Amino acid sequence: MIDFFFEPVGVAVVGATPEPHTAGFNLITNLTLSYRGPIYPVNPKHDEILGLRCYPRVSNIEGPLDVALILVPAPAVPQVLEDCVAKGARGAIIESSGFAEVGSRGKALQDRCVAIARKGGMRLWGPNCMGFIDTSKGHVFSFVIPEAWKEGMNAGRVSLIVQSGLLAAGFITTLMGNKTLGLAKVCSIGNKCDVEETELLEYLLRDRATKVIGLYLESFMNGRRFIELCHSSPKPIVILKGGKTPLSAEATVSHTASLAGNDQLITGLLRQANLHQAEDFFEMIDMARTLEKDFRLQQPPQGRPRIAILSYSGASGIVTTDHLEKHHLTLARLSPQTQKRLEELSPAWMPVKNPVDYWPAAEKHGPSLAYKHGIKVLHDAPEVDGLIVHLFAGFGIWFLDMKEVMSVIKGSRKPILFWLIGPEKGREPTRLTLEQEGWPTFHEIHRTVRVMASLFAQSRQKERMPGIPSPGLSIDPSLKELIEKADRNQAAVLDEFDSKKWLRALDLKVVDEAIAQDMEEALTKADEIGYPVVLKGRVEGQVHKTEAGLVKLNLCNAGQLRSACQEMLNLKPKPDFFMVQPMLKGDLELIAGVIRDPQFGLAAMLGLGGIWTETYRDVAFRLVPLTQKDVKEMVSDLKGEALFKGYRGSKPVNMGALSDWLMKLGWLAMTYEKIEQIDVNPLLIIDGEPVALDATVMLTQDSKI
Amino acid sequence: MIDFFFEPVGVAVVGATPEPHTAGFNLITNLTLSYRGPIYPVNPKHDEILGLRCYPRVSNIEGPLDVALILVPAPAVPQVLEDCVAKGARGAIIESSGFAEVGSRGKALQDRCVAIARKGGMRLWGPNCMGFIDTSKGHVFSFVIPEAWKEGMNAGRVSLIVQSGLLAAGFITTLMGNKTLGLAKVCSIGNKCDVEETELLEYLLRDRATKVIGLYLESFMNGRRFIELCHSSPKPIVILKGGKTPLSAEATVSHTASLAGNDQLITGLLRQANLHQAEDFFEMIDMARTLEKDFRLQQPPQGRPRIAILSYSGASGIVTTDHLEKHHLTLARLSPQTQKRLEELSPAWMPVKNPVDYWPAAEKHGPSLAYKHGIKVLHDAPEVDGLIVHLFAGFGIWFLDMKEVMSVIKGSRKPILFWLIGPEKGREPTRLTLEQEGWPTFHEIHRTVRVMASLFAQSRQKERMPGIPSPGLSIDPSLKELIEKADRNQAAVLDEFDSKKWLRALDLKVVDEAIAQDMEEALTKADEIGYPVVLKGRVEGQVHKTEAGLVKLNLCNAGQLRSACQEMLNLKPKPDFFMVQPMLKGDLELIAGVIRDPQFGLAAMLGLGGIWTETYRDVAFRLVPLTQKDVKEMVSDLKGEALFKGYRGSKPVNMGALSDWLMKLGWLAMTYEKIEQIDVNPLLIIDGEPVALDATVMLTQDSKI
């Protein structure tokens, strides 16, 4: 439990100083301004700081002490922690830098700190962090500049967890300067050597002051638990994931691994967890502050939220429409009733359609009446799920009393977001009024639309089914045998021939193949199978078969087969034996697999295969175990989703069979922990049914069933 | 010539009124405040407005009159124009609405206006527009609110052309409120019934007050000329294209047409013209105002501009890096010398790498010295092409004198862009100082990076080769015959059999095929060709062959061929004859074509083919005639670019042969104007060489060679 950090009895400030413009001064100042319990400055150079008795060491403190805030140079921190343990403190927030973030020596120092704390039963927060601000209690346990928060601390319901030290300060100060973002708790977790995002998230999910959670994270300490928490969270969670640079594009054995190595695995899992994903800091905040509003979201009948635009300009209506398309929102088709009501204020020559260009109405009746009427009518229209209003706040009659205008909306409210422009002196008071009334405003069209889309993504979340357990398959004797063989052999990579045995043992459909020890046998088998055939040469452990010349496709007759065999027999090493397979023609070439991710654990992958796999990277990831719904969502994550429904007369993909495939692969990897990866490529769809043409199972040596 | 609009002798304001808060009042007020020549209010209800003699009609004006600004209701405009013609005015700016933008009756009214003007030798600007603002002469020929520009008119070198009426006002007013965007001319062209973007662009390219041009356009009146002007423009041009919503996704005969129907054709042509493409209004402005600065751009040796990041936060450095990747910029690798110089101020425990986290340096030496040193060192480093600085402007020592800090940069300057945050009262003065010193600031990281990328795109522009004429092929007799036959037959769509004749006549490689009148002949031909073969049935004019059951692939022997023939013979209508083709296996399946676009004329298309074409829409367009360089750029526009270089041992695509294909298709369509479209799908790459497997030529009946 980390609750005590937020309500400690007794706080020490180790490294407090009376010298202005230093972090140590800011920290002790913030404590005196914000915390009412006992405060103990600790600094051997002073007897008193800001009128408080100053202690040379933590061990000299006499009163009760729950938390130490530490700002001394990194090398001095372990001794401070020893003192804290001795004193019986429950936790320490290390706000100093110079630990793991600066390299291996810093990492060693950090590890020492963790060891001391663990041994002493103490929790650590940080290091390399800004601590936290808790607006509900008014606590500022951070060295953020006092001027920054003294005027701007606006209690609210958005809490942030930020894996960063210094950004938090500048950023939060900027937000506070806006006066309209209500923050609950802002937690800077820095290097998160002990207290990390998942535990804090758990705390914030319980925290009654927190309604929406925003996160900036570069890594996940406890990925699977994190995803599970998010998945079941009734509170909206927005995340900005930093560090998306793809790993080096070196060739790897497995497509699954190279596709997972870049950002797509995490993106898929975050989607699985129903997180809102932002791409920049202010975008994260814009999403969070809007999700915090109590908008009533209705479910659009066709799935795509229907948006009305009320504007004073055709051009901005058009650009807004362009952005709607990008975000899978759609323009609402206004009913004749709605049109008629809107036309009450529009001149006869101006036809009303969506986007609604209400300039002529504003010119005729004044902008105040026009906006009132337009907003009221579009808000009331059942065919409108959300409304984007373009507002210019400037001079004279174009400086509206928006509190009065918005008073037309009573009770439960559909989302109405404003694209607000105008010169500062008109815009700023209008922004404040609208925000205070609960109507979010934005400075750019693309952001307005992006945030509208995130609102509806949130509403979809509530539909979600709970996860169900993986299919309770018993281990088939043939599978057991394969596992035992793998354990014996200590093989790291199983080639196609062996890998496909595992799939067959799971009762998954794999291309038929006949083994042939020599050319003559291959010819006989081919006759039995029927031309055209595929010839593969088996060299144990060789997984790059195409490049090694061990695959010949579409052999149409004995002559072609014979020369293919001969070519392979000339290779070095020559194949152990041949595999003859029918040349299957499918409607769709997929790739499927499972991979054990170091941060999140087992994840399954599904994507479009063939030569395009690496080009378009059209793949989706989800944590294992999967439900049928997960597999459906994986398909809908793909740009090539439409191909699954059948095209040019081909059958749609049997989703039950596809789910079975992915669920069983996941189940296998869960059951046999040695499995690092399974790569099924291609997984061909023939008459709607998935059939594996090739597969690779990769194992580690460090665990067993 | 439209120059007279910007320097008229005598301006009438038709529809001037003394009633405040009306457009007619604003317009006459703006004239009196900004224009020094004779001003004539025209309104039969008044004798005098703002101390000026008011005329009942334009025909009553006695003095010289070049331009009439018209704001009377739409139905009254034709009469006003008649009066203007009678008076000998050279042009009119119709700022009233109620024309083509409101429907067919408005369009008819607009056409009447154009007819009157054409007949009278007068030019029209608008209607449904805001006129223009010219800061160099101080002219405001627009009904924008006077308060909006009186304080904000900041002369500068960015000119705008905006296809919009009212947006211009709110938007420009907002920009003026920022005090830092220097505008030269802002032209609102509304419905552009006569004066349109291309003519204005031509004027602005000559205009000495204009250095950078920004455009908001929804359509192109003279697309080809527009692209040509942009292509050769030494001035940077930024465009926001509104109206990207794809056309309805109904099935069309041609892939080329359905792919062109959405935004991709225009995007390709704008890229060909070296335009900077923005996606939102402020993004357009952010790009334009930065391109206006005199940055010195060095060419990165590896093609990707190398960016250094100077930050006070690891997290914002990481997020900036993520955005660099998205925009094809890369992190500069700092040389040992640069690192050493940076380390002069950094504490020993803090290793310096890019992104440079200079917080410890700022803490040790104060932010002013740290920023000065960091900016100087990174600006001087030859391995850095551009610098992004993260700056927090807040309180106390974090409120830097940026004029002083930036004084370390002398003479020619690399681009340095600031991501500036902080509470308003600190941020705003810092922004003003930086902008006045010529250093652009941005509020969001993604925008900062996007604009940096656009700067380097501009530098690439200068490398461009001029266009060369199309290959001067003479018309081969066999082609002449085909053309004559097409003229005779009045066919609108040529099927595969006929279409491929055209390609052969151009000496382009097309799959061999043997004609067979019946099953027995098909069997004989297949024996000659060698199995596997493809059987196609020819039904004249049928282009949806697969759907009609007229294509059977990969037939491996006589038995398979026989049943395929039989199936086709059972169809209604049954095929006229069979085509037997070898079953070719290529390394890459492309799609190529030409299309006559109503706005831009002939354009060529190249894309990745197969079932993925409609899914990923990975296609590129360029105006015809093409150069080899254009074709190379088309390939580099494709996400699948890497596949052209060979993959898994396949040969790279012969770029000369591919260029030949596209250039010849373009040449053909230029030569024979009846060609509406040519669709070559698939264009297979076999051993690096393009071979067409299927093609469709579409013709119109309204023109000839």
Side-chain angles (χ1 to χ4, degrees):
Chain A
M1 292 291 274
I2 51 171
D3 302 40
F4 70 86
F5 278 112
F6 297 99
E7 41 205 33
V9 179
V11 176
V13 180
V14 187
T17 111
E19 196 185 327
H21 302 309
T22 63
F25 176 78
N26 291 344
L27 185 58
I28 187 71
T29 305
N30 289 343
L31 259 284
T32 58
L33 291 170
S34 74
Y35 175 66
R36 291 176 184 195
I39 306 173
Y40 316 102
V42 177
N43 187 335
K45 293 189 200 136
H46 299 276
D47 295 328
E48 190 216 283
I49 294 175
L50 297 182
L52 295 168
R53 178 178 161 191
C54 185
Y55 299 83
R57 289 176 63 169
V58 171
S59 36
N60 303 117
I61 296 170
E62 285 144 16
L65 174 69
D66 270 350
V67 171
L69 308 180
I70 302 177
L71 248 174
V72 296
V77 171
Q79 182 56 56
V80 174
L81 293 177
E82 299 275 15
D83 289 2
C84 289
V85 168
K87 168 69 189 162
R90 300 167 74 184
I93 301 180
I94 308 173
E95 306 199 4
S96 331
S97 313
F99 293 89
E101 80 280 9
V102 301
S104 55
R105 278 176 60 187
K107 176 68 168 64
L109 190 60
Q110 181 172 310
D111 289 345
R112 253 180 75 204
C113 293
V114 174
I116 292 166
R118 290 258 156 87
K119 198 175 153 208
M122 193 171 71
R123 300 302 306 271
L124 289 188
W125 179 308
N128 184 33
C129 78
M130 293 281 294
F132 67 82
I133 297 176
D134 177 351
T135 63
S136 57
K137 301 204 175 56
H139 291 168
V140 180
F141 286 14
S142 167
F143 60 91
V144 60
I145 304 167
E147 295 95 306
W149 64 267
K150 272 193 305 189
E151 289 175 20
M153 187 131 82
N154 200 359
R157 303 189 292 179
V158 174
S159 284
L160 303 177
I161 300 175
V162 187
Q163 178 180 350
S164 153
L166 296 156
L167 177 77
F171 184 59
I172 298 308
T173 304
T174 306
L175 296 177
M176 285 177 161
N178 287 345
K179 299 188 188 74
T180 48
L181 173 64
L183 291 168
K185 294 186 172 62
V186 180
C187 307
S188 158
I189 56 177
N191 297 0
K192 52 190 193 182
C193 72
D194 174 24
V195 171
E196 38 70 62
E197 60 280 355
T198 306
E199 194 172 8
L200 258 176
L201 177 62
E202 212 158 355
Y203 173 80
L204 292 177
L205 287 171
R206 287 196 318 267
D207 179 33
R208 296 180 66 178
T210 298
K211 193 180 164 194
V212 177
I213 299 157
L215 300 130
Y216 169 75
L217 292 177
E218 290 160 15
S219 64
F220 298 83
M221 301 303 284
N222 201 347
R224 184 165 187 106
R225 174 82 183 129
F226 181 84
I227 297 292
E228 284 167 355
L229 281 176
C230 293
H231 189 285
S232 60
S233 163
K235 302 182 183 181
I237 303 174
V238 184
I239 187 166
L240 169 59
K241 165 70 175 64
K244 297 189 171 186
T245 312
L247 298 178
S248 70
E250 281 165 39
T252 56
V253 169
S254 136
H255 278 263
T256 309
S258 95
L259 293 165
N262 90 1
D263 188 48
Q264 287 175 288
L265 184 141
I266 287 180
T267 300
L269 304 195
L270 298 182
R271 202 174 290 172
Q272 181 176 21
N274 295 314
L275 284 164
H276 300 274
Q277 298 184 52
E279 304 215 323
D280 208 342
F281 293 104
F282 290 107
E283 185 176 271
M284 174 179 84
I285 292 301
D286 285 338
M287 288 163 113
R289 68 187 173 88
T290 306
L291 286 161
E292 188 261 346
K293 304 286 185 276
D294 290 309
F295 288 122
R296 172 177 55 90
L297 297 164
Q298 65 190 25
Q299 278 307 314
Q302 305 298 329
R304 281 185 128 194
R306 300 159 303 174
I307 309 300
I309 301 167
L310 182 67
S311 186
Y312 51 88
S313 146
S316 55
I318 284 173
V319 171
T320 307
T321 306
D322 287 343
H323 285 278
L324 290 182
E325 287 291 326
K326 267 186 231 169
H327 289 99
H328 306 290
L329 302 170
T330 187
L331 271 183
R333 274 176 198 268
L334 301 183
S335 71
Q337 294 88 315
T338 304
Q339 279 182 312
K340 211 170 149 194
R341 284 187 67 193
L342 288 169
E343 281 164 0
E344 287 166 19
L345 295 200
S346 239
W349 52 264
M350 185 69 180
V352 169
K353 56 180 193 297
N354 186 20
V356 180
D357 183 349
Y358 229 36
W359 167 261
E363 213 182 19
K364 202 168 155 192
H365 301 279
S368 183
L369 185 57
Y371 270 97
K372 252 183 175 163
H373 186 71
I375 289 171
K376 171 82 177 139
V377 170
L378 291 168
H379 180 266
D380 288 355
E383 70 273 21
V384 172
D385 301 315
L387 176 56
I388 290 176
V389 178
H390 296 172
L391 183 64
F392 169 77
F395 316 91
I397 57 166
W398 281 97
F399 184 13
L400 303 179
D401 177 350
M402 289 310 292
K403 182 167 180 178
E404 207 255 334
V405 169
M406 296 311 289
S407 67
V408 294
I409 310 293
K410 308 257 184 248
S412 77
R413 318 167 314 157
K414 282 182 199 167
I416 305 181
L417 308 187
F418 284 80
W419 178 50
L420 176 65
I421 62 171
E424 174 81 20
K425 67 178 172 180
R427 189 182 71 229
E428 188 56 15
T430 305
R431 184 183 74 80
L432 288 172
T433 306
L434 280 169
E435 296 281 353
Q436 277 152 11
E437 295 290 309
W439 305 107
T441 70
F442 305 90
H443 188 55
E444 304 224 35
I445 289 175
H446 67 95
R447 179 65 49 83
T448 317
V449 175
R450 176 78 187 82
V451 170
M452 182 67 91
S454 77
L455 279 178
F456 286 95
Q458 183 63 22
S459 86
R460 278 198 292 277
Q461 180 166 334
K462 288 166 196 159
E463 282 181 347
R464 261 200 141 245
M465 303 280 289
I468 55 164
S470 65
L473 295 178
S474 63
I475 299 183
D476 182 275
S478 66
L479 183 57
K480 199 155 199 163
E481 202 172 291
L482 289 167
I483 288 175
E484 283 162 8
K485 186 180 162 203
D487 278 336
R488 275 197 310 276
N489 288 3
Q490 304 248 329
V493 180
L494 306 184
D495 60 23
E496 171 180 353
F497 185 71
D498 284 339
S499 295
K500 288 200 297 200
K501 285 186 192 163
W502 292 65
L503 301 181
R504 288 197 187 95
L506 289 171
D507 208 17
L508 292 169
K509 200 166 174 192
V510 173
V511 63
D512 291 324
E513 63 201 2
I515 303 301
Q517 299 300 333
D518 55 29
M519 191 188 293
E520 287 317 305
E521 196 177 356
L523 288 163
T524 314
K525 302 286 187 184
D527 275 336
E528 289 167 24
I529 290 169
Y531 290 95
V533 297
V534 175
L535 181 76
K536 293 182 179 173
R538 203 265 182 135
V539 171
E540 194 167 352
Q542 174 58 275
V543 292
H544 297 292
K545 292 186 296 290
T546 304
E547 291 79 351
L550 291 168
V551 179
K552 300 283 171 187
L553 301 174
N554 210 25
L555 304 170
C556 234
N557 50 47
Q560 292 179 357
L561 177 57
R562 201 171 280 129
S563 32
C565 286
Q566 197 51 60
E567 272 186 56
M568 286 190 198
L569 290 170
N570 294 339
L571 294 172
K572 283 180 187 154
K574 69 176 192 184
D576 312 328
F577 54 81
F578 295 115
M579 292 179 280
V580 185
Q581 303 171 347
M583 176 74 201
L584 298 180
K585 176 93 186 64
D587 299 311
L588 196 54
E589 203 176 321
L590 303 179
I591 173 171
V594 288
I595 185 164
R596 216 173 280 277
D597 181 77
Q599 295 189 85
F600 293 96
L602 268 183
M605 189 202 69
L606 177 69
L608 290 164
I611 59 167
W612 313 114
T613 305
E614 291 294 335
T615 302
Y616 300 118
R617 300 186 154 264
D618 195 6
V619 296
F621 287 88
R622 288 292 184 278
L623 276 188
V624 166
L626 302 173
T627 64
Q628 289 210 339
K629 189 154 195 294
D630 288 325
V631 178
K632 220 170 140 189
E633 284 185 3
M634 288 170 91
V635 170
S636 72
D637 275 6
L638 300 173
K639 291 188 221 76
E641 178 187 8
L643 298 171
F644 286 71
K645 293 171 181 156
Y647 62 96
R648 293 197 199 169
S650 77
K651 269 198 190 169
V653 175
N654 179 338
M655 286 299 296
L658 186 64
S659 301
D660 201 42
W661 257 94
L662 286 166
M663 288 160 75
K664 280 180 176 172
L665 290 182
W667 173 84
L668 177 61
M670 282 175 68
T671 308
Y672 186 49
E673 287 182 9
K674 264 196 181 177
I675 292 178
E676 269 298 295
Q677 292 176 41
I678 306 174
D679 205 28
V680 181
N681 181 19
L683 179 65
L684 204 64
I685 302 295
I686 304 174
D687 284 334
E689 300 301 321
V691 180
L693 299 195
D694 199 347
T696 310
V697 174
M698 275 149 278
L699 305 171
T700 43
Q701 264 60 56
D702 49 0
S703 61
K704 59 178 200 164
I705 196 157
Chain B
M1 293 290 276
I2 52 169
D3 300 39
F4 69 85
F5 277 113
F6 296 98
E7 40 205 35
V9 179
V11 176
V13 180
V14 188
T17 109
E19 196 184 328
H21 302 309
T22 65
F25 175 79
N26 291 343
L27 185 59
I28 187 71
T29 305
N30 289 343
L31 260 285
T32 58
L33 290 171
S34 74
Y35 174 66
R36 287 169 189 204
I39 305 174
Y40 317 101
V42 177
N43 187 336
K45 294 191 198 136
H46 298 277
D47 295 327
E48 190 216 280
I49 294 176
L50 297 181
L52 294 167
R53 180 179 160 192
C54 184
Y55 299 83
R57 289 176 62 169
V58 170
S59 36
N60 303 117
I61 295 170
E62 285 143 16
L65 174 69
D66 271 351
V67 171
L69 308 180
I70 303 177
L71 248 175
V72 296
V77 172
Q79 183 56 53
V80 173
L81 293 177
E82 298 276 13
D83 288 3
C84 289
V85 167
K87 168 67 189 163
R90 300 168 75 187
I93 301 180
I94 308 173
E95 306 196 8
S96 331
S97 312
F99 293 90
E101 80 280 9
V102 301
S104 55
R105 279 174 62 186
K107 175 69 168 63
L109 190 61
Q110 181 173 310
D111 290 344
R112 255 179 75 206
C113 294
V114 173
I116 292 166
R118 291 257 155 88
K119 199 174 154 208
M122 192 170 74
R123 299 300 306 271
L124 288 188
W125 178 309
N128 183 34
C129 77
M130 294 284 294
F132 67 82
I133 298 175
D134 176 352
T135 62
S136 57
K137 300 203 176 55
H139 291 168
V140 180
F141 287 14
S142 168
F143 61 89
V144 58
I145 303 166
E147 294 94 308
W149 63 267
K150 273 193 306 189
E151 289 175 20
M153 188 128 83
N154 200 358
R157 302 189 293 178
V158 173
S159 285
L160 302 177
I161 300 176
V162 186
Q163 178 181 351
S164 153
L166 295 156
L167 177 76
F171 184 58
I172 298 308
T173 305
T174 305
L175 296 177
M176 285 176 162
N178 287 346
K179 299 188 188 73
T180 48
L181 173 65
L183 291 168
K185 293 183 174 63
V186 180
C187 307
S188 158
I189 56 176
N191 297 0
K192 52 190 192 183
C193 73
D194 174 24
V195 171
E196 39 70 65
E197 61 279 355
T198 306
E199 194 172 8
L200 258 176
L201 177 62
E202 212 157 355
Y203 172 81
L204 292 177
L205 287 171
R206 288 196 316 269
D207 179 34
R208 297 180 64 179
T210 297
K211 193 179 164 196
V212 177
I213 299 158
L215 300 128
Y216 169 76
L217 292 177
E218 289 159 15
S219 64
F220 298 84
M221 301 304 283
N222 201 348
R224 185 167 186 104
R225 174 82 184 129
F226 180 84
I227 297 292
E228 284 167 358
L229 280 175
C230 293
H231 189 285
S232 60
S233 162
K235 302 183 184 180
I237 303 174
V238 185
I239 187 166
L240 169 59
K241 166 70 175 63
K244 298 190 172 185
T245 311
L247 299 178
S248 69
E250 282 166 38
T252 57
V253 169
S254 135
H255 278 263
T256 309
S258 93
L259 293 166
N262 92 358
D263 187 49
Q264 286 173 289
L265 184 141
I266 287 182
T267 299
L269 304 194
L270 298 181
R271 201 174 291 172
Q272 182 176 17
N274 295 314
L275 284 165
H276 300 273
Q277 297 184 54
E279 304 218 320
D280 208 342
F281 292 103
F282 290 107
E283 184 176 270
M284 174 177 83
I285 292 300
D286 284 338
M287 288 163 110
R289 68 187 175 87
T290 306
L291 286 160
E292 189 261 346
K293 304 287 185 277
D294 291 309
F295 287 122
R296 171 177 57 89
L297 296 165
Q298 65 190 26
Q299 278 307 315
Q302 306 297 329
R304 280 187 129 192
R306 300 158 302 174
I307 308 301
I309 301 167
L310 182 68
S311 185
Y312 51 87
S313 145
S316 55
I318 284 175
V319 171
T320 307
T321 305
D322 287 342
H323 285 278
L324 289 182
E325 286 291 327
K326 268 186 228 168
H327 289 99
H328 305 290
L329 303 170
T330 188
L331 270 184
R333 272 176 199 270
L334 301 183
S335 71
Q337 294 89 315
T338 304
Q339 279 183 314
K340 210 170 149 194
R341 285 188 66 194
L342 288 170
E343 280 163 0
E344 287 166 18
L345 295 200
S346 239
W349 52 265
M350 184 70 177
V352 168
K353 55 180 196 294
N354 186 20
V356 179
D357 183 349
Y358 229 36
W359 167 260
E363 215 182 17
K364 201 168 156 193
H365 301 278
S368 184
L369 185 58
Y371 271 96
K372 253 184 175 162
H373 186 72
I375 289 171
K376 172 81 177 138
V377 170
L378 291 168
H379 180 267
D380 289 354
E383 72 273 21
V384 172
D385 300 315
L387 176 55
I388 290 176
V389 178
H390 296 172
L391 183 64
F392 169 76
F395 317 92
I397 56 167
W398 281 96
F399 185 11
L400 302 179
D401 177 351
M402 288 311 291
K403 183 169 178 175
E404 207 255 334
V405 169
M406 296 311 290
S407 68
V408 295
I409 309 294
K410 309 257 183 246
S412 78
R413 318 167 313 158
K414 281 183 201 168
I416 305 181
L417 307 187
F418 284 80
W419 177 51
L420 175 64
I421 62 171
E424 173 81 22
K425 66 178 175 181
R427 188 182 71 230
E428 188 56 15
T430 305
R431 184 182 73 82
L432 286 171
T433 305
L434 281 168
E435 295 282 350
Q436 277 152 13
E437 296 291 308
W439 305 107
T441 69
F442 305 88
H443 187 55
E444 305 223 35
I445 288 175
H446 68 96
R447 180 65 49 80
T448 317
V449 175
R450 176 80 189 79
V451 170
M452 182 66 91
S454 76
L455 279 177
F456 285 95
Q458 183 63 22
S459 86
R460 277 198 292 277
Q461 180 164 335
K462 286 166 196 159
E463 283 180 345
R464 260 200 142 243
M465 302 280 289
I468 54 163
S470 66
L473 295 180
S474 64
I475 300 184
D476 181 275
S478 67
L479 183 56
K480 199 155 199 166
E481 204 172 288
L482 289 167
I483 288 175
E484 282 163 9
K485 187 180 162 204
D487 278 336
R488 274 195 312 276
N489 289 1
Q490 305 248 326
V493 179
L494 306 185
D495 60 24
E496 171 180 354
F497 184 69
D498 285 338
S499 296
K500 287 200 298 201
K501 284 186 190 162
W502 293 64
L503 300 180
R504 289 200 186 93
L506 290 171
D507 209 17
L508 292 169
K509 198 162 174 195
V510 173
V511 62
D512 291 325
E513 64 201 2
I515 303 300
Q517 298 300 333
D518 55 27
M519 189 189 295
E520 285 318 306
E521 196 177 354
L523 288 163
T524 315
K525 302 288 186 185
D527 274 336
E528 288 166 27
I529 290 167
Y531 289 96
V533 298
V534 175
L535 181 76
K536 293 180 179 175
R538 203 267 183 134
V539 170
E540 196 168 353
Q542 174 58 273
V543 292
H544 296 292
K545 292 185 296 291
T546 304
E547 291 80 351
L550 291 167
V551 180
K552 300 282 171 188
L553 300 173
N554 210 26
L555 304 170
C556 233
N557 52 45
Q560 293 179 355
L561 177 56
R562 201 170 280 129
S563 33
C565 287
Q566 198 51 59
E567 270 185 56
M568 287 190 197
L569 290 170
N570 295 339
L571 295 172
K572 285 183 186 153
K574 67 177 189 184
D576 311 328
F577 54 80
F578 294 115
M579 293 180 281
V580 186
Q581 302 171 348
M583 177 74 201
L584 298 180
K585 177 94 184 62
D587 298 311
L588 195 56
E589 203 175 323
L590 303 179
I591 173 170
V594 288
I595 186 165
R596 216 173 278 279
D597 181 76
Q599 296 188 84
F600 292 96
L602 268 182
M605 188 201 72
L606 176 70
L608 290 165
I611 59 166
W612 314 114
T613 307
E614 292 293 336
T615 302
Y616 299 117
R617 300 185 154 267
D618 194 6
V619 296
F621 287 87
R622 289 291 184 277
L623 276 189
V624 166
L626 301 174
T627 64
Q628 290 209 338
K629 189 156 195 296
D630 287 325
V631 177
K632 220 170 137 188
E633 285 186 2
M634 287 171 91
V635 171
S636 73
D637 274 7
L638 299 175
K639 289 187 222 75
E641 178 187 7
L643 298 172
F644 286 71
K645 292 169 183 158
Y647 61 95
R648 293 198 199 167
S650 76
K651 268 198 189 170
V653 175
N654 178 339
M655 285 300 295
L658 186 64
S659 301
D660 202 43
W661 258 94
L662 285 166
M663 289 160 75
K664 280 180 175 173
L665 290 182
W667 173 85
L668 177 62
M670 283 174 71
T671 308
Y672 185 52
E673 288 182 8
K674 263 194 179 177
I675 291 177
E676 269 297 296
Q677 291 177 42
I678 306 174
D679 205 28
V680 181
N681 182 18
L683 179 64
L684 203 65
I685 302 295
I686 303 174
D687 283 334
E689 301 299 322
V691 181
L693 299 194
D694 199 348
T696 311
V697 174
M698 275 149 276
L699 305 170
T700 44
Q701 264 59 57
D702 51 359
S703 62
K704 60 178 197 164
I705 198 157

